[in-house]
Amino acid sequence: MEYRPRALGTLAFLIVPACLAQPPELELVTFDAPPYQVVEIIGNGHRSITGETVDTVTCAAELAGWSANITLAPQKRAIYSLRKNSVDGYFAADPSAELDTIASRSYPVALEKWYFFTQDPTAEPDLRRIGVVDGSNEEAWLLANGYEVYLSVTSPSQLLALLERGRIDTALMDERVMIWLRARNELSTESLNSHFLRYAPLHFYVAETFQKAHPEFLPEFNKALPSCTAKTLTPTSREIKHIESLTKRLLAELTKLLNIQQALKAGPQPGSFAEVLNIDSKWQALAPKTVPPLAAHILALPASKTLEVWQSSYKGLVTEIMLVNSMGSIAAMSQLTSDYWQGDELKFLEVAGPELAADPQDQKPFFISPIRYDQSTARFQITVSAPIVSASENTPNGVIVIGLDIEKAMGI
């Protein structure tokens, strides 16, 4: 009966490659922090760890060629494990000098939005009795930045109970946590006043030993993050309303300084779409290390000089500004851009694209992009675009694009 060994041999031949094809596994640790990291009890009492950052880290790890086994621990114990290299990584932590000395930090895996919540609408929250959750990112940041923490408690719901009873004047908390508490009916205070403090990027820290053994992992993980965080970096309705109001004020001011229609006509006028694409390919090959000749010409235009001076006057709030003509190519700009043709991007298509509604009343007044993390400046930015419409036409003949530092914008 020789077929059995042969059959077993064939089976082994099939199983071994399948096993080898399984991705290597990361041993990761995090802490319980709803709604970002949530522990759920599933069948037979087993615990499942879910949440926004869990999904993001798992997604980016898989795209980088790894699977993730995630366990929970208190933050201090998790950091100790990271320091001792008994885990491959730890998330989701606010950047700190301590962690940066013992591990390598990824790009942000989530973005918290911190607010001071008060009952008194006239309160100055940063000068009152501040309450936070013990061991939280908020507590660590306050202490590192010279604030005095009046009370630390074990949970967000306890924090709000103290606020309701007047034991503290203000509670520092992430906006998403507040929304989560409301959804669970754990918020007894009917109305609270909110005061924006900061955006807090949460990172994934890779242990030193793992980083040395797999130096290729973190660059691949970072490369995969944008496709895994698109949903989490979408502006909230509160942010959109605030940004739209701010943009209206900025555009009203700018139109007093610059004749927008005249600036569009003074910019380069390509003869064909093929010419635009040809210029764009040469532009992208040189920028940003070298200024292409056409870019130098555009930057020297009076309109571009006006945009540059106007941007500088806002001391970091405005990160870029450009005028784009009806073909989607740049007519004026405050600084060198990475490409010449903007016509294939949502910032152009959403307000001046060919498939927009013909009736001006149905056209969008603004398009606000997702929040984007700029690694070179370590800032979160957002792009707002608005159609440019001449007095004699109903359809847009251009687009004005303004880049904003979202943290500075929300603080205004």
Side-chain angles (χ1 to χ4, degrees):
M1 301 291 289
E2 296 181 357
Y3 69 90
R4 292 182 64 187
R6 289 178 181 174
L8 290 173
T10 301
L11 183 61
F13 179 80
L14 294 173
I15 291 175
V16 171
C19 293
L20 292 176
Q22 295 298 315
E25 190 171 68
L26 289 165
E27 294 295 335
L28 306 180
V29 64
T30 187
F31 55 97
D32 188 19
Y36 295 93
Q37 297 100 242
V38 184
V39 180
E40 295 182 349
I41 305 300
I42 56 179
N44 299 323
H46 293 294
R47 299 196 306 172
S48 173
I49 304 171
T50 62
E52 184 177 298
T53 54
V54 174
D55 293 341
T56 297
V57 169
T58 301
C59 168
E62 288 179 352
L63 292 177
W66 292 72
S67 64
N69 179 46
I70 301 171
T71 58
L72 285 179
Q75 283 180 288
K76 291 181 180 178
R77 189 190 306 166
I79 294 172
Y80 178 81
S81 299
L82 188 70
R83 182 185 297 276
K84 294 298 183 181
N85 290 284
S86 57
V87 294
D88 297 324
Y90 160 62
F91 70 94
D94 208 22
S96 74
E98 177 191 5
L99 290 176
D100 286 336
T101 61
I102 63 174
S104 299
R105 189 202 318 167
S106 75
Y107 294 173
V109 297
L111 180 62
E112 289 189 331
K113 301 163 187 180
W114 293 0
Y115 285 81
F116 283 117
F117 292 95
T118 67
Q119 293 199 83
D120 181 1
T122 64
E124 297 182 21
D126 56 341
L127 300 178
R128 303 298 183 97
R129 297 175 298 170
I130 302 174
V132 291
V133 173
D134 185 38
S136 64
N137 290 324
E138 290 91 330
E139 182 183 49
W141 186 88
L142 286 173
L143 295 175
N145 286 273
Y147 287 83
E148 181 179 345
V149 174
Y150 183 75
L151 274 179
S152 298
V153 296
T154 58
S155 71
S157 55
Q158 286 181 319
L159 194 60
L160 292 181
L162 291 174
L163 181 63
E164 185 179 25
R165 294 199 297 266
R167 292 282 307 281
I168 57 174
D169 299 312
T170 180
L172 179 59
M173 191 180 302
D174 171 53
E175 181 186 41
R176 290 284 303 281
V177 174
M178 179 65 75
I179 294 171
W180 181 76
L181 289 172
R182 289 185 187 278
R184 292 167 57 93
N185 295 318
E186 292 190 25
L187 181 58
S188 57
T189 304
E190 293 184 1
S191 62
L192 292 174
N193 301 281
S194 57
H195 311 262
F196 177 78
L197 175 62
R198 67 182 290 253
Y199 285 95
L202 303 182
H203 295 266
F204 169 45
Y205 276 92
V206 179
E208 184 178 19
T209 298
F210 180 87
Q211 175 66 10
K212 289 180 179 178
H214 305 280
E216 78 291 344
F217 170 76
L218 195 53
E220 289 298 316
F221 182 90
N222 286 334
K223 182 180 178 182
L225 273 177
S227 61
C228 298
T229 57
K231 180 181 178 181
T232 61
L233 296 184
T234 299
T236 64
S237 58
R238 180 208 293 255
E239 290 167 328
I240 289 173
K241 183 178 180 180
H242 184 85
I243 293 300
E244 285 183 346
S245 176
L246 174 61
T247 302
K248 288 177 182 178
R249 299 203 306 269
L250 292 174
L251 289 178
E253 178 184 309
L254 185 60
T255 52
K256 293 179 181 178
L257 300 175
L258 181 66
N259 186 318
I260 304 295
Q261 292 293 339
Q262 190 177 80
L264 282 179
K265 294 177 182 177
Q269 303 292 326
S272 67
F273 182 60
E275 183 181 349
V276 171
L277 294 183
N278 183 47
I279 294 171
D280 186 59
S281 63
K282 295 177 180 178
W283 185 300
Q284 291 190 49
L286 295 174
K289 293 183 178 179
T290 303
V291 180
L294 182 60
H297 168 73
I298 295 174
L299 288 169
L301 292 172
S304 293
K305 293 296 184 183
T306 298
L307 295 179
E308 180 185 9
V309 171
W310 182 76
Q311 175 183 328
S312 298
S313 71
Y314 276 95
K315 303 184 186 305
L317 168 65
V318 179
T319 59
E320 67 174 342
I321 181 167
M322 68 181 83
L323 304 183
V324 180
N325 61 31
S326 60
M327 295 187 71
S329 58
I330 293 176
M333 58 187 178
S334 62
Q335 61 194 42
L336 178 63
T337 62
S338 59
D339 47 10
Y340 172 63
W341 187 51
Q342 312 289 318
D344 61 339
E345 299 185 21
L346 289 177
K347 61 189 175 187
F348 178 86
L349 295 172
E350 289 290 328
V351 295
E355 298 184 5
L356 292 178
D359 189 341
Q361 294 183 345
D362 296 330
Q363 295 173 4
K364 293 182 179 180
F366 298 109
F367 170 70
I368 299 177
S369 73
I371 301 169
R372 179 178 62 87
Y373 180 70
D374 186 338
Q375 178 65 15
S376 62
T377 61
R379 295 191 302 181
F380 288 93
Q381 301 187 55
I382 201 165
T383 298
V384 186
S385 53
I388 300 171
V389 182
S390 68
S392 59
E393 298 177 359
N394 287 330
T395 57
N397 65 338
V399 173
I400 184 166
V401 181
I402 301 178
L404 298 172
D405 181 311
I406 184 67
E407 188 166 8
K408 289 182 180 293
M410 289 302 296
I412 292 177

